[in-house]
Amino acid sequence: MFVDSHCHLSFPELHGRIGTILDEMAQARVERALCICTTIEEFPQVHALAMEHGRLWATVGVHPDNEGVHEPTLAELVERAALPRVVAIGETGLDYYRLAGRSVADMAWQRERFRTHIRAARATGLPLVVHTRSASDDTLAILQEEGAGQVRGVFHCFTETMAVAKAALAMGFHISFSGILTFRNAEELRAVAREVPLERCLIETDSPYLAPAPYRGKTNSPAYVPWVAARLAEVKGLSVDEVAAATRINFERLFNIPALVPAPLES
Ligand SMILES: [Zn+2]
Ligand SMILES: [Zn+2]
């Protein structure tokens, strides 16, 4: 049994065929998926998915790339985070990849938004789903300033260096690997994945994006997360079942979701 720790089933590429996607997940033994929110405007749809389907859970947050959307206040995040089946704050973080002619100094609004999300994680006790791209120094520094030792979470769709992974692990964070792990040119990332302790690894699709090989370039879906598990298993010299079980248990613990396989009853 597999879990997808990060997908966007509310996005138009996937939302219209949710029934098919759930069927495909069942066939692929993908038992659970976390639906990630990227704007406050989108939240009702993300939350409805989790309320309507027992295998889905939801987050609340505003992606760092999203401009011209409602800027969330701490109170707005906390209020939504209290709803049933909302298990994390995010995705949030920093993304300096598309500066579009601006300097890093111009991105103060992103850093302020990130701080608001970290405060929401502290206020609610929920873990953070962190997105970082071309911005790892600031991401780590702000996490230290705002949440050191007090927030947990995951660096999702990890593509950073081993040094960044070590810093995230030292702060108690998990590291989530996506379909990028299966790409031919991802040798450096596979070297990082080899070193990240299994008890801190998660797997994800980030669907509809980043479909793993052999589906690269196609619309991704949570049903493809076993391909990520298979590659992680190969990299770590483990069986797919071992990686599937460990990443499922890590997911359940981090997001405080009842265990899919109950512990055996004491007689
Ligand atoms: Zn992301
Ligand atoms: Zn995402």
Side-chain angles (χ1 to χ4, degrees):
M1 291 176 288
F2 302 87
V3 298
D4 182 356
S5 72
H6 191 115
C7 61
H8 297 280
L9 298 188
S10 55
F11 283 15
E13 296 91 329
L14 300 173
H15 194 254
R17 41 188 201 93
I18 187 70
T20 310
I21 287 167
L22 289 164
D23 287 346
E24 287 169 0
M25 283 171 63
Q27 280 163 30
R29 295 197 304 137
V30 179
E31 299 295 333
R32 293 172 155 182
L34 183 54
C35 300
I36 305 290
C37 178
T38 63
T39 63
I40 293 296
E41 291 85 339
E42 176 197 18
F43 175 77
Q45 234 179 20
V46 177
H47 187 235
L49 283 167
M51 293 301 285
E52 286 162 20
H53 305 288
R55 331 169 147 239
L56 305 179
W57 278 263
T59 70
V60 59
V62 181
H63 192 290
D65 270 348
N66 285 330
E67 299 183 57
V69 298
H70 178 73
E71 193 61 43
T73 65
L74 175 59
E76 286 167 339
L77 292 172
V78 168
E79 184 190 322
R80 286 162 181 79
L83 294 170
R85 299 186 74 79
V86 179
V87 296
I89 304 291
E91 62 180 297
T92 181
L94 300 175
D95 194 326
Y96 300 159
Y97 184 71
R98 290 187 196 85
L99 288 175
R102 293 169 292 189
S103 70
V104 166
D106 295 331
M107 306 306 273
W109 60 273
Q110 260 194 13
R111 294 185 285 276
E112 206 43 54
R113 180 185 286 175
F114 185 29
R115 289 181 191 277
T116 302
H117 284 77
I118 300 170
R119 288 168 195 163
R122 288 180 55 171
T124 59
L126 294 183
L128 274 177
V129 176
V130 174
H131 169 109
T132 185
R133 192 172 187 197
S134 308
S136 57
D137 287 353
D138 281 4
T139 302
L140 291 166
I142 291 175
L143 271 176
Q144 279 290 356
E145 282 171 34
E146 294 283 343
Q150 301 189 58
V151 290
R152 301 165 307 127
V154 55
F155 276 58
H156 103 89
C157 197
F158 197 80
T159 53
E160 304 290 332
T161 61
M162 192 59 223
V164 175
K166 281 188 171 145
L169 291 167
M171 280 195 286
F173 275 70
H174 287 64
I175 305 285
S176 180
F177 296 100
S178 68
I180 293 174
L181 198 65
T182 69
F183 293 176
R184 195 190 302 263
N185 56 358
E187 211 41 66
E188 279 177 53
L189 182 62
R190 285 189 283 275
V192 171
R194 201 168 288 128
E195 300 298 320
V196 173
L198 184 61
E199 63 270 19
R200 295 286 196 89
C201 288
L202 295 176
I203 52 173
E204 67 173 84
T205 58
D206 208 7
S207 48
Y209 312 122
L210 295 172
Y215 302 106
R216 190 170 179 180
K218 302 219 165 85
T219 302
N220 200 359
S221 137
Y224 294 161
V225 82
W227 296 89
V228 181
R231 199 63 205 250
L232 186 58
E234 186 193 314
V235 160
K236 288 188 160 302
L238 299 168
S239 71
V240 178
D241 282 351
E242 284 173 300
V243 165
T247 53
R248 173 175 57 76
I249 291 164
N250 297 344
F251 173 86
E252 291 165 352
R253 289 198 181 134
L254 178 61
F255 296 112
N256 198 22
I257 289 171
L260 197 54
V261 180
L265 289 173
E266 311 257 346
S267 54

